[in-house]
Amino acid sequence: AQTVTQSQPEMSVQEAETVTLSCTYDTSESNYYLFWYKQPPSRQMILVIRQEAYKQQNATENRFSVNFQKAAKSFSLKISDSQLGDTAMYFCAFMKRSTGNQFYFGTGTSLTVIP
Amino acid sequence: DTGVSQDPRHKITKRGQNVTFRCDPISEHNRLYWYRQTLGQGPEFLTYFQNEAQLEKSRLLSDRFSAERPKGSFSTLEIQRTEQGDSAMYLCASSLQGTETQYFGPGTRLLVL
């Protein structure tokens, strides 16, 4: 079974600063995908960034980047130049490449950007 | 393209009643997923369809739960004889086979009294 752990239930960051959200996972699979999703208050989940496990290069999307450490099974999200609109619940998710269906989600990190 | 839509957005029901939720995926997506999210938790997988075929069901999906996707387009999730423990947000997501990103709807929040 796959498990995803987000050890930081809540975090805060000053506007324009940088924050890193942690995620670790446990799997015996070698091919898989990792995702970060954002769920703003009372709004639907949207994809922030994704990473293929077979790619060594860390994914980046504008202000969002990941630090993927496959051996350590760690997948952290760095948000640079934090904006008020980044305030949301952030979920880390794992998907096996072999089946390509269900996500396994962590419990989430609630991020508040302080003006 | 309006994204994934779900109806209703909120549902309050009494214990023992049946409820049905609908999900309309992104039009070209042939995969559709249902998840349940309780307070303070991440979404948990319930079931998924590829076209009209239900290919996987979680152990979370008890006999009181049934999902259909009759024509490979929209899907319904029915809960019979609701219990207070069924209170949760029910999320629907869709994807295109061969791509891995799932696009989520706004969810249906169920409260069982």
Side-chain angles (χ1 to χ4, degrees), chain B residues 13-14 17-18 28 33 54 67 76 88 95 98-100 103 105:
Chain B
T13 191
K14 293 182 179 179
Q17 298 295 305
N18 298 344
E28 64 268 27
Y33 310 79
Q54 188 174 18
T76 58
S95 72
T99 67
E100 296 72 33
Y103 296 84

Side-chain angles (χ1 to χ4, degrees), chain A residues 52-85:
Chain A
E52 290 90 345
Y54 62 89
K55 288 186 177 179
Q56 292 186 340
Q57 186 173 2
N58 289 326
T60 62
E61 285 289 340
N62 301 315
R63 297 183 296 108
F64 299 88
S65 62
V66 298
N67 183 5
F68 173 48
Q69 302 289 328
K70 190 172 184 179
K73 296 181 181 176
S74 170
F75 182 62
S76 61
L77 174 69
K78 185 172 82 171
I79 306 174
S80 303
D81 186 25
S82 297
Q83 300 175 359
L84 296 179

Side-chain angles (χ1 to χ4, degrees), chain A residues 37 44 50 100-103, chain B residues 31 35 56 100 102 104:
Chain A
Y37 275 86
Q44 62 204 80
R50 53 171 272 176
N101 46 42
Q102 65 174 289
F103 281 148
Chain B
R31 286 186 169 180
Y35 292 85
E56 189 167 340
E100 296 72 33
Q102 295 181 17
F104 284 82

Side-chain angles (χ1 to χ4, degrees), chain A residues 37-56:
Chain A
Y37 275 86
K38 166 186 174 180
Q39 189 175 38
S42 301
R43 293 180 59 189
Q44 62 204 80
M45 287 218 293
I46 56 176
L47 176 70
V48 175
I49 198 166
R50 53 171 272 176
Q51 173 82 41
E52 290 90 345
Y54 62 89
K55 288 186 177 179
Q56 292 186 340

Side-chain angles (χ1 to χ4, degrees), chain B residues 47-92:
Chain B
T47 188
Y48 104 98
F49 292 83
Q50 183 166 297
N51 302 312
E52 65 276 10
Q54 188 174 18
L55 296 187
E56 189 167 340
K57 292 194 292 186
S58 163
R59 286 172 291 179
L60 292 175
L61 213 64
S62 76
D63 291 344
R64 297 184 296 106
F65 288 70
S66 63
E68 294 182 345
R69 194 182 183 198
K71 297 183 179 179
S73 57
F74 73 91
S75 175
T76 58
L77 177 68
E78 181 183 17
I79 308 174
Q80 297 181 328
R81 305 180 303 280
T82 52
E83 302 173 355
Q84 289 182 326
D86 296 331
S87 295
M89 175 77 86
Y90 290 84
L91 296 170
C92 176

